[in-house]
Amino acid sequence: MFNIILFGPPGAGKGTQSGNISREFGFVHLSTGQILRNLIRRGTASGELISKFVDRGYLVPDDIVLRELFREALKHKKSPGLIFDGFPRTVHQAVMLENLLEKRDMPVSMVISLDVEQDELYRRIMGRSVDSGRSDDHEEVIRQRFMTYEEETLPLKEFYRNQGRLVEISGMAPVKEVYHNIREQILQRLNGEGREEEQ
Ligand code: AMP
């Protein structure tokens, strides 16, 4: 099983590139943002609680996110791979993810950080906000989402870099070009894994 963590600031293209990876490699795309939005849409009590955080641009508490993400992930234990889009978002979540996956023999194979300059991020996300239908795509909330990213998620880069596992990919180029670079990195590792198994 080949599991990928994909993280980056709002507007970096995580969802789009996860979709591309999923189509080509058959990996299951798990977006915590999407899972949480689906729960909000259902209008349950838990959905109502989740919306209080999402609609303000804050992180949803770990116990809720972990429970919902794992419920989804375990449905796909037989898939060739999983793409974690938007999870982890804190070092604590990264440690929890690692522990839970390792216990189930589903290790993380690759960590990709998608990097885009701040001005470009604003341009993309403000453009998208016109018709995204997302309750958190409003200027004030977008600002908070960026702040949350810088304060809570950015330390993850150092965390994975120190482990020698961080693959940094620029997300500034057109979607096709960014995907080309992502795919090269995945293929390199997939081929490497194949060779290790042969030995
Ligand atoms: P996204 O679709 O990835 O931009 O996520 C939208 C919102 O969902 C975020 O602003 C958070 O409020 C919430 N969210 C998504 N992933 C996580 C996570 N790993 N931990 C906590 N909250 C999250």
Side-chain angles (χ1 to χ4, degrees):
M1 194 175 200
F2 193 89
N3 298 315
I4 302 176
I5 287 175
L6 185 59
F7 75 95
K14 300 185 294 291
T16 306
Q17 298 299 351
S18 297
N20 287 339
I21 301 170
S22 172
R23 267 187 298 281
E24 179 166 355
F25 294 94
F27 302 161
V28 174
H29 177 194
L30 294 173
S31 154
T32 41
Q34 198 53 52
I35 292 170
L36 296 169
R37 281 189 288 281
N38 290 344
L39 289 164
I40 296 173
R41 210 166 299 129
R42 274 194 234 142
T44 58
S46 140
E48 219 167 281
L49 176 65
I50 292 168
S51 73
K52 291 195 174 27
F53 295 92
V54 173
D55 291 351
R56 293 182 172 91
Y58 298 132
L59 293 184
V60 174
D62 285 347
D63 55 334
I64 302 178
V65 185
L66 276 162
R67 185 186 64 218
E68 299 302 336
L69 176 68
F70 272 88
R71 190 180 304 194
E72 280 304 310
L74 293 176
K75 283 184 198 162
H76 303 286
K77 270 200 80 167
K78 297 236 152 44
S79 108
L82 302 174
I83 310 160
F84 292 93
D85 159 10
F87 192 96
R89 258 174 155 96
T90 63
V91 171
H92 180 243
Q93 288 186 354
V95 174
M96 306 275 282
L97 178 71
E98 210 94 1
N99 289 343
L100 283 161
L101 288 180
E102 261 162 27
K103 260 189 228 152
R104 290 172 174 79
D105 209 17
M106 301 160 76
V108 174
S109 317
M110 191 175 172
V111 182
I112 303 174
S113 154
L114 211 48
D115 301 318
V116 176
E117 287 164 17
Q118 187 74 29
D119 289 355
E120 173 66 8
L121 291 173
Y122 265 106
R123 199 186 60 73
R124 287 185 192 176
I125 212 159
M126 290 311 289
R128 177 177 92 181
S129 69
V130 179
D131 59 3
S132 75
R134 279 177 56 159
S135 54
D136 59 349
D137 268 354
H138 298 292
E139 196 161 354
E140 215 174 295
V141 184
I142 290 170
R143 264 183 230 290
Q144 179 55 51
R145 283 164 60 202
F146 281 123
M147 269 163 59
T148 304
Y149 176 78
E150 272 175 26
E151 284 165 15
E152 308 206 45
T153 309
L154 215 47
L156 266 183
K157 262 193 169 179
E158 216 40 49
F159 175 78
Y160 284 124
R161 194 179 286 128
N162 288 340
Q163 293 182 354
R165 306 164 76 190
L166 187 70
V167 178
E168 289 180 89
I169 292 185
S170 166
M172 290 292 285
V175 172
K176 260 188 160 174
E177 217 174 291
V178 175
Y179 182 59
H180 173 82
N181 294 335
I182 292 178
R183 135 180 231 283
E184 288 290 297
Q185 295 284 342
I186 296 175
L187 288 172
Q188 258 181 35
R189 279 161 184 79
L190 275 173
N191 292 336
E193 279 192 1
R195 270 198 296 278
E196 270 169 31
E197 272 164 27
E198 276 168 28
Q199 282 165 5

